[in-house]
Amino acid sequence: MAGGQFQFSGGLAKSLIFIGLILTGGGLSYAISFALINSFYGLDLFSNPLLLNNLNDPSVVASLKVIQLANVLGAFILPSLFFAYLVSDRWLDYLRLRKIPRLWQILTIFLIVIISQPWINLTVALNESIAFPEFLTGIESWMMQKEQEAELITESFMAMNTLYDLFYNLFLIGLIAALGEELFFRGLIQPFLLRRTGNHHTAIWITAIIFSAIHLQFYGFFPRMFLGALFGYLMVWTGSLWAPILAHFANNAGAVAISYLFSDSQLSNKIEELGSSSDDWAYLVITAPIMYFLVKSIFNKREVIP
């Protein structure tokens, strides 16, 4: 069966199809993952989802990884691919997957990810220093609770003792997360907003805000938003979705590799905090002009709206 059956449908119809695919895929992914977890780990999450709160149990951590894998596949990757197939007879072009960045662009992407790290760390520190007024204490407490829960899950995921743990995390946190989120946000949401607004900057930044907000981690909101914007500009610069996928993978995989290689030393913390301290001003000064010249052409690029 050829694709593009809904190519000429209106925006409302396409939106309903997209939402339906996400809800259906997301619901099925949770059901399937719960069934697999019950079969392999003996945890009946249908009856008691609170079993997932015990992060000291290795089977719980393994179960959370199964849920994450199923959720990315069911709510992001498959719905995005299937939606593109339904609304375009050239779905690879629709998602900008056919075009491959040039080698020098790929090398530039990895360089940008590396030298932007001190600036991202600085943004993290500034974000964490934000204090709410007293009347928003309840919201602040809720945000802090969500942040602490996310940190605990991240720490449990990053506890790697074997090469299998490393490669599994590189696959799950690096490759699958990058592929799923970029298909969804930069592959579908950003082009949709671009068609509606006609402005690349508006589409990129709104997408980046949604991308960050959906993670429900306020104290990492701004650095994640800036990363999302960077991914968006990389796609505009190259005209290829593989550019943000590569950048996203490099960012996530780098964190996984550092956590594995330097888990027993202070170097891992130093890398994560590089640029956030007043003693690290030299790194920011050195990388600032490099970042400027690298991103100048990206900000001036204008992608053709398909």
Side-chain angles (χ1 to χ4, degrees), residues 29 52 66 74 113 137 142 156 197-198 208 233 236 240 265 279-280 301:
S29 69
L52 293 174
V66 171
V113 171
T137 301
W142 175 77
S156 66
T197 65
Y233 281 111
V236 171
S240 170
S265 69
D279 297 330
D280 297 329
K301 178 73 175 179

Side-chain angles (χ1 to χ4, degrees), residues 110-119 283 287 290-291 294:
F110 284 116
L111 180 61
I112 289 175
V113 171
I114 292 172
I115 67 174
S116 66
Q117 195 58 51
W119 291 93
Y283 295 102
T287 56
I290 301 175
M291 282 294 294
L294 286 175

Side-chain angles (χ1 to χ4, degrees), residues 19-209:
I19 294 172
L21 289 173
I22 295 171
L23 294 177
T24 302
L28 286 175
S29 69
Y30 274 106
I32 293 172
S33 63
F34 280 19
L36 290 173
I37 290 167
N38 189 21
S39 176
F40 285 98
Y41 301 110
L43 300 177
D44 187 2
L45 299 180
F46 290 107
S47 301
N48 186 11
L50 295 179
L51 291 172
L52 293 174
N53 292 337
N54 183 17
L55 295 177
N56 294 320
D57 185 348
S59 64
V60 169
V61 177
S63 298
L64 287 170
K65 290 185 177 182
V66 171
I67 292 171
Q68 178 167 325
L69 176 60
N71 185 56
V72 175
L73 287 172
F76 288 90
I77 295 179
L78 294 179
S80 298
L81 293 175
F82 192 38
F83 176 78
Y85 176 79
L86 289 176
V87 301
S88 175
D89 55 359
R90 299 168 59 195
W91 63 275
L92 285 174
D93 295 316
Y94 186 86
L95 290 170
R96 295 164 180 77
L97 287 173
R98 191 180 299 278
K99 183 178 180 180
I100 306 297
R102 298 177 181 176
L103 178 60
W104 70 269
Q105 291 176 320
I106 294 174
L107 296 176
T108 302
I109 289 168
F110 284 116
L111 180 61
I112 289 175
V113 171
I114 292 172
I115 67 174
S116 66
Q117 195 58 51
W119 291 93
I120 296 298
N121 293 341
L122 175 62
T123 311
V124 171
L126 294 174
N127 198 157
E128 291 177 346
S129 68
I130 295 176
F132 284 76
E134 187 175 350
F135 71 92
L136 293 177
T137 301
I139 295 178
E140 183 178 17
S141 298
W142 175 77
M143 288 180 174
M144 291 183 66
Q145 178 185 351
K146 287 294 181 182
E147 192 72 21
Q148 291 169 357
E149 291 174 356
E151 286 181 3
L152 289 174
I153 293 175
T154 300
E155 290 176 3
S156 66
F157 274 35
M158 290 296 192
M160 296 170 284
N161 300 315
T162 66
L163 282 175
Y164 171 80
D165 294 332
L166 170 63
F167 287 117
Y168 186 27
N169 275 354
L170 288 174
F171 171 74
L172 178 63
I173 300 173
L175 179 61
I176 293 298
L179 183 60
E181 293 184 359
E182 293 312 310
L183 276 171
F184 186 89
F185 290 103
R186 258 61 64 176
L188 293 180
I189 301 299
Q190 183 173 308
F192 170 81
L193 292 172
L194 177 58
R195 295 187 187 95
R196 295 298 181 274
T197 65
N199 186 291
H200 288 279
H201 300 293
T202 301
I204 287 169
W205 284 99
I206 293 178
T207 303
I209 291 171

Side-chain angles (χ1 to χ4, degrees), residues 216-239:
L216 293 178
Q217 290 179 258
F218 173 80
Y219 292 97
F221 179 86
F222 290 107
R224 190 174 287 107
M225 179 186 70
F226 287 125
L227 271 176
L230 174 61
F231 297 156
Y233 281 111
L234 287 175
M235 188 179 75
V236 171
W237 177 50
T238 61

